[in-house]
Amino acid sequence: MLAVGFLAAALASVPALAQGRPVPGAMLPQAQAGDVDAMMVVASDYLRDPYGDHAEGYRWMMRAAACDGPGCIASPDMLHSARLSAASSLFYGVQHATRYVVLPDMMQVYVWMTIAQSAWSTRGEKPDYSLNFYKREAAARMTPAQIAEAGRRAAAWRPMSLEAVLRTPFDPPGQR
């Protein structure tokens, strides 16, 4: 009986476990080691927990999209998936109940889809429908000046090493 009471008390001290929710960041060591797939899992864990650290989830989502230099472990398809996931989350925003935990940001959608489009062109492949959809729909919600600025940001973007990705703050929209 004492062991059961001790286990219950230990579990109760970990709020996510006590409430049956996944523990955000369970794959954190792999994510910190540069595994882009693990970064996406960590981001998802944080973002889908209504009581989670959504800003940290956003940061891991953006780290996954940006990590394609030295120290990053990802195939081109995984990077494309990470960038589409980031664009989707930034296009629609991330909500729990009626509140946004990540605000929509059309400028970032346009930037990331331009970067992804460039990567596909470099590989000699035609971009998929989702990439074109998000870029086109983001542009429809932007002014010509915003589109030009997003184009400049995408053109200035360079692949980031794992070290640089982990140092970059990646603050969520509206939390700068």
Side-chain angles (χ1 to χ4, degrees):
M1 182 68 172
L2 180 60
V4 172
F6 174 75
L7 180 59
L11 288 177
S13 71
V14 181
L17 287 176
Q19 297 175 23
R21 298 193 315 266
V23 179
M27 292 188 70
L28 193 57
Q30 295 96 316
Q32 290 170 329
D35 184 330
V36 171
D37 191 33
M39 290 178 190
M40 292 300 296
V41 171
V42 169
S44 178
D45 286 349
Y46 279 112
L47 289 171
R48 74 172 172 225
D49 180 356
Y51 307 101
D53 184 346
H54 303 114
E56 190 62 14
Y58 173 84
R59 288 180 192 103
W60 280 107
M61 176 178 64
M62 297 312 294
R63 287 173 184 139
C67 195
D68 70 349
C72 300
I73 305 164
S75 68
D77 289 336
M78 176 51 63
L79 279 172
H80 179 68
S81 178
R83 290 171 180 157
L84 276 178
S85 179
S88 174
S89 295
L90 288 164
F91 185 82
Y92 297 107
V94 177
Q95 284 185 275
H96 285 293
T98 58
R99 79 181 170 94
Y100 278 100
V101 296
V102 174
L103 297 172
D105 186 336
M106 295 306 121
M107 177 91 65
Q108 287 297 321
V109 171
Y110 194 92
V111 168
W112 283 108
M113 291 301 86
T114 302
I115 291 166
Q117 205 168 34
S118 175
W120 278 74
S121 296
T122 301
R123 289 170 52 188
E125 297 180 28
K126 184 177 175 185
D128 67 9
Y129 173 80
S130 297
L131 188 151
N132 290 324
F133 168 81
Y134 286 120
K135 186 173 179 182
R136 181 182 66 244
E137 292 301 313
R141 292 162 173 78
M142 297 166 65
T143 67
Q146 289 173 319
I147 293 169
E149 176 61 23
R152 282 190 291 277
R153 289 182 189 182
W157 186 85
R158 297 293 175 258
M160 295 176 74
S161 69
L162 174 61
E163 181 182 331
V165 164
L166 294 177
R167 273 195 330 261
T168 303
F170 293 114
D171 292 324
Q175 294 188 9
R176 297 195 196 322

